Amino acid sequence: MTTANMYPDIKEEDLVTEVHEIVLQKVGHVPVAKGDFMKMPKSVRIFVSHCIQLMKPRGVYICDGSEAEAQEIIHKLEERGTLTRLTKYKNSYLCRTDPEDVARVESKTFICTPDKYETVPHVREGVAGILGHWMGPDQMQVELNDRFPGCMAGRMMYVIPFSMGPIGSPLSKIGVQVTDSNYVLLCMRLMTRISPKVWEVLGDKEFVKCIHSVGCPRPVQRVVKNHWPCNPENVLIAHFPHERKIKSYGSGYGGNSLLGKKCFALRIASVIARDEGWMAEHMLISGITPPNGEEMFITAAFPSACGKTNLAMTTPTLPGYKVQVVGDDIAWMRFNKKGELRAINPEAGFFGVAPGTNMQTNPNAMMSFQENSIFTNVAETADGGYYWEGLEDEVPKGMAIKTWLNETRALGQPGPPASHPNARFTCPASQCPIIHPRWEDPEGVPVSAIIFGGRRPKGVPLVFEAKSWEHGVMIGACVKSEATAAAEFKGKKIMHDPMAMRPFMGYNFGHYLQHWLDMPKVPGRKLPKIFHVNWFRTDESGKFLWPGFGENIRVIDWILRRCKGEDIAVESPIGFIPKPGSINMEGLGKINEKELFSMPKHYWLDDTRESRRFLEDQVGVDTPPIIFKLLEDQEAAFVAMPDN
Ligand code: GTP
Ligand code: SPV
Ligand code: MN
C-alpha cells in the first residue's frame, strides 16, 4: 500500500517528508516536557535537579498556572477517569479518592529538628504527646530512604511555583512544590497563586521546598482504586523547619498533599513567624459592618470542621449587617509600625467541608463553587450535579445518585452516606459573592477581635470574653472539641485542640504560648480583645440550644460592641459574659437562654482541673507559669462559688 493510497486527499508531491531536529531540554536524562528550566532561579534549579535525581520521574513539567495548562491536565484526568465532569456547572469536576485516602493523617505527620524539645514539649513520663510528633533527623532519613528514591518512576514531575499571600506582598512567602499528582496541581492552582511571576519575585531569596509524591512508582505494586494512586500503608509527612522543607509521601488528599496549606502556611510558617515575630494561625478572617457602617475585622480559630468557613462567610440574619470574607482557614498576622495587628489570608481558594453546606446554611459558599471547582468524595446526581448530606431539600427526591463509593441509588432510598463526612469543595476565593474588596490587600486588614471556639455539647456558654490578653491565651490553650472527620482519630470524643492548632504545631507548644504572651511586650501595640464562642451546646435530648449559622451574627454583634467598650458584660470565673438581655435575640424563636449561658460549677471545676492536667501532662515545664496561675485562679473561683 502506498502512502498516497493511505491518505487519498494528500497528493504525493505535497507530502512533507523532512524531519526537524528540535532541541529538547533535558536535566540529566530526564526531558523537560514543558517550560524552560533555565528561566528558574539558580536555587530552584538546584532543588529541582536534586528532586529529579532522587525520585527519577519520566519528565519534568514546569507549571505556569495558566488556564490552558489546567485544561490540558483536566483533559488528561478525564480520559483516565480520575475526574468526572459535572455537566451541570461550568468547568467543574468530581473526584473520588481511594477510600483509604480521605483525610489528614496526624499519626504519620512529623517535625524533624536535631533538638527534640525545639519541636515537642516535655510530656509527663509515660504519656504520649499529642501536640506534634517529633522524629530525629537520622531516623527520618532512614524512613525517607525507604520511600523516596525512584518513587516517581514512570510519572511526570510537576514543578509548581507558588506564593502564599498576594505575589510580592511584604507579608507573603514563596514556595516551590514538586509533585507527581496532577490532581494536586489542579487544587494547588485554586488554593495558591501559581505564576511565573513568582520566579521574578523570588530571585535569590529563600523559598519553602515542598516535595510530594503519591508513592506509586510505575509499574505500580498495589491495586489502584478509582484511578487514585496512593500508598496509605506508607504515608509520611515530614517537616524540616530549619531547612524550610516538607517531604510528603503516600497521600494525595488535602492537608497531606496541598503542601502550601497546613504544612507550609501553618507548620513551617509558625516557625518562621516565631523567628520573625509574627503569628501563623488556623483562623478565618472576616470584615463585619454593623448598621452604623463602622467595619471591624475578626479572626477566629476553631478546630477542623468546627465552623470557620461557615462563620467566615455567614449571611447575617440581623438586618443592616454586612459580612465580607478575607479568609476561611488560615491567617498570618503581624503588628505593623503603628502597632495595629494586621492579618492576611495566605491562601487563594477555599477547601471547604461539603456535607452540611447548602443554600440555607452557607449560600455564599454555594455561590462560590458554581464554576471552576473540584469536588472530592461527594456524590454525583444523574443530571451531572453534586450531592451530599445536607442537600436533601435542594435536589429532587427520586433523583438517581452515584455515591462517593460508586454505589447507585435513588435519593430518598435508605443507604450509607452519599458523601464522605470529610468530602470537600475546592474553589477560587475570588468567586465568593462576599469576598472582601481588600482580601488581597498586601498590608492586611486590622484585627479587632480574636475568637476561639470548638464543639462543646455541654457546660460551655455561648460566648465569653477574656479578662486580659494573657487570660485569652489561657482560654486558647484550653480549646477542646468533639472529634470530627477532618482527620483520623482514635475514638476519643472530646479532644483537646489548643489554639485549634494541635495538628498544625510547627514547634514546642509551650514556646508557642510564650510567643503569644510576648506579643504585648513591644510598647505601643494595640491588642485585640479575645473571646470564646460555642455554637454547639445541646440539651438533654441532644438538640442544639443555639440555631447557629446566620444567627451567629447576634453573638458577633455583642463581640464588636464589647470591642467598642460598651458596658454589656459582667465578670464571671471564666471571663466576661453577656449581661442578661445584651445579646439581640429579637425575632428568634424560643431560646433556652438560661441553659445556653449557664456555667455549672461542677462541670467547670472538672473542666478546669482536667485542662490543668492536660497541660501538666502534655506541655509540662514548657508551659508558661502564668497559664497555670490563671487556671488556679479559675479553679479557686469555682470552689468559692455556691452550688448551682
Ligand atoms: P476545616 O475546613 O476542616 O478547617 O473546617 P471549618 O472550621 O471551616 O468548618 P466548616 O465551616 O466547614 O463547618 C463544619 C461543619 O460544621 C459543617 O457541617 C457545618 O454545617 C457545621 N457548622 C458550621 N457552623 C455551624 C453552626 O453555627 N451551628 C451548627 N450547628 N453547625 C455548624
Ligand atoms: C482542616 O482539616 O483543618 C482543613 C482540611 O482545613 S485539610 O486541608 O485537609 O487540613
Ligand atoms: Mn482547617
Side-chain angles (χ1 to χ4, degrees), residues 349-370:
F350 304 132
F351 183 64
V353 179
T357 307
N358 60 44
M359 285 310 276
Q360 240 54 53
T361 56
N362 196 346
N364 290 313
M366 296 289 288
M367 264 124 59
S368 306
F369 52 67
Q370 293 306 304

Side-chain angles (χ1 to χ4, degrees), residues 104 254-255 261-262 282 304 329 351 424 486 504:
R104 279 181 292 101
K261 200 172 174 55
K262 297 312 192 345
H282 191 204
S304 298
D329 199 50
F351 183 64
R424 300 261 168 177
F504 310 121

Side-chain angles (χ1 to χ4, degrees), residues 282 303-310 329 351 353 355-356 424 455 486 535-536 544 548-549 552:
H282 191 204
S304 298
C306 289
K308 285 182 301 301
T309 301
N310 277 270
D329 199 50
F351 183 64
V353 179
R424 300 261 168 177
R455 290 173 181 259
W535 317 140
F536 299 93
F544 289 120
F549 301 103
N552 293 333

Side-chain angles (χ1 to χ4, degrees), residues 363-380:
N364 290 313
M366 296 289 288
M367 264 124 59
S368 306
F369 52 67
Q370 293 306 304
E371 55 184 32
N372 309 317
S373 299
I374 298 174
F375 301 86
T376 307
N377 288 339
V378 308
E380 179 188 355

